[in-house]
Amino acid sequence: MKIRIISPTITEDFLPEQERDFASVARKDTELSYVMLEDGPVSIESEYDEALALPGILKQVSIAESEGIDAVIINCASDPGIDAAREVASIPVIGPAQASFSLSTMLAQKFSVIAILERDIPDLDRMFRVYGILDRIASVRVMDIPVLDISKDRNKAIDAMTKSALHALKEDRAEAITYDCTGLTEIVNDVKSNLLKEGFDVPVIEPVAASLKLAETLVDLGISHSKITYPIPPIKS
């Protein structure tokens, strides 16, 4: 099968990392390809950034379907443009946040999301309501490390996510952990190890792996989003 990873930014520095992360969890028979936007934001950290990215996302989703791609993943855990993208395409369009949230609800009664920045909380609240999982959220905890700085200090990111997760588990009664960024794949095993040392054997759901495995499963099953839910936009002159 062929899966296209769409990076909704213009930052080329993200490409090697995302290629490594998706390739590490893909099946041998999954052919991955990667594109980024020609115009758009350097990172997604606000509703404004998402709005800037939307035209490029829709263009790349349409191109992917026209090229015979079986499914696309919009590689940002804010799921920018996912509803509009599903309207313009019939192939599966996957958002990492929705994928990881859905998996979390299968594995725990309540889960916590580790946010990158405080300003991410309103966007997460919106997604919780849209995805119908508000009653399954134990809390949102904040790492407070800008997206562009995460890869610069790996140990700092591990410590920040571990501390936030421990607060969620100890104080908020979370039973699983996920987070709102696709740039933390490399530290998940370290965080899991740290939580186990503290006595917490819980799922730590990684958005990259969750989105790719969901995409592979939908292609295998031959199903996609409902075109009643996401009808094709009317043609206008």
Side-chain angles (χ1 to χ4, degrees), residues 41-219:
V42 296
S43 65
I44 301 287
E45 295 178 287
S46 66
E47 293 282 353
Y48 178 75
D49 290 334
E50 292 185 32
L52 290 177
L54 186 54
I57 291 171
L58 297 180
K59 178 181 178 180
Q60 291 299 335
V61 168
S62 296
I63 290 173
E65 184 164 35
S66 71
E67 292 179 346
I69 298 298
D70 297 304
V72 299
I73 297 170
I74 302 173
N75 188 29
C76 174
S78 291
D79 292 356
I82 186 171
D83 290 337
R86 286 174 176 169
E87 287 187 353
V88 302
S90 295
I91 59 175
V93 179
I94 308 299
Q98 189 177 40
S100 58
F101 295 166
S102 297
L103 187 56
S104 296
T105 63
M106 293 175 59
L107 302 177
Q109 288 298 316
K110 284 185 175 290
F111 66 96
S112 286
V113 179
I114 310 303
I116 303 303
L117 299 170
E118 189 80 24
R119 66 174 299 138
D120 295 341
I121 294 177
D123 187 45
L124 285 166
D125 285 342
R126 175 187 59 78
M127 285 195 288
F128 298 155
R129 287 174 170 80
V130 170
Y131 295 154
I133 57 170
L134 193 59
D135 62 336
R136 307 294 295 276
I137 304 300
S139 64
V140 175
R141 290 284 180 166
V142 180
M143 290 175 58
D144 198 26
I145 302 177
V147 171
L148 297 176
D149 292 343
I150 289 173
S151 61
K152 296 178 182 178
D153 192 334
R154 185 174 183 272
N155 290 331
K156 182 179 179 181
I158 292 171
D159 289 345
M161 186 171 175
T162 299
K163 289 177 181 177
S164 296
L166 286 172
H167 282 305
L169 294 164
K170 292 178 180 179
E171 300 173 22
D172 308 326
R173 302 181 66 84
E175 299 165 4
I177 299 293
T178 188
Y179 46 94
D180 72 334
C181 182
T182 57
L184 298 175
T185 302
E186 195 175 22
I187 74 170
V188 169
N189 287 335
D190 295 283
V191 173
K192 285 182 180 178
S193 178
N194 289 342
L195 297 182
L196 278 172
K197 291 175 183 177
E198 295 290 332
F200 292 100
D201 184 6
V202 299
V204 180
I205 310 300
E206 198 281 295
V208 165
S211 61
L212 182 60
K213 291 306 178 184
L214 177 58
E216 290 176 336
T217 299
L218 292 179
V219 175

Side-chain angles (χ1 to χ4, degrees), residues 3-19 22 33-44 49-50 52-61 64 72-77 79-80 94 96 147-148 182-183:
I3 297 178
R4 171 81 37 91
I5 314 300
I6 299 173
S7 175
T9 73
I10 60 171
T11 304
E12 294 183 1
D13 292 347
F14 290 159
L15 289 176
E17 181 180 293
Q18 73 174 9
E19 289 177 8
F22 280 98
S33 57
Y34 305 86
V35 297
M36 58 191 306
L37 305 187
E38 297 173 359
D39 296 292
V42 296
S43 65
I44 301 287
D49 290 334
E50 292 185 32
L52 290 177
L54 186 54
I57 291 171
L58 297 180
K59 178 181 178 180
Q60 291 299 335
V61 168
V72 299
I73 297 170
I74 302 173
N75 188 29
C76 174
D79 292 356
I94 308 299
V147 171
L148 297 176
T182 57

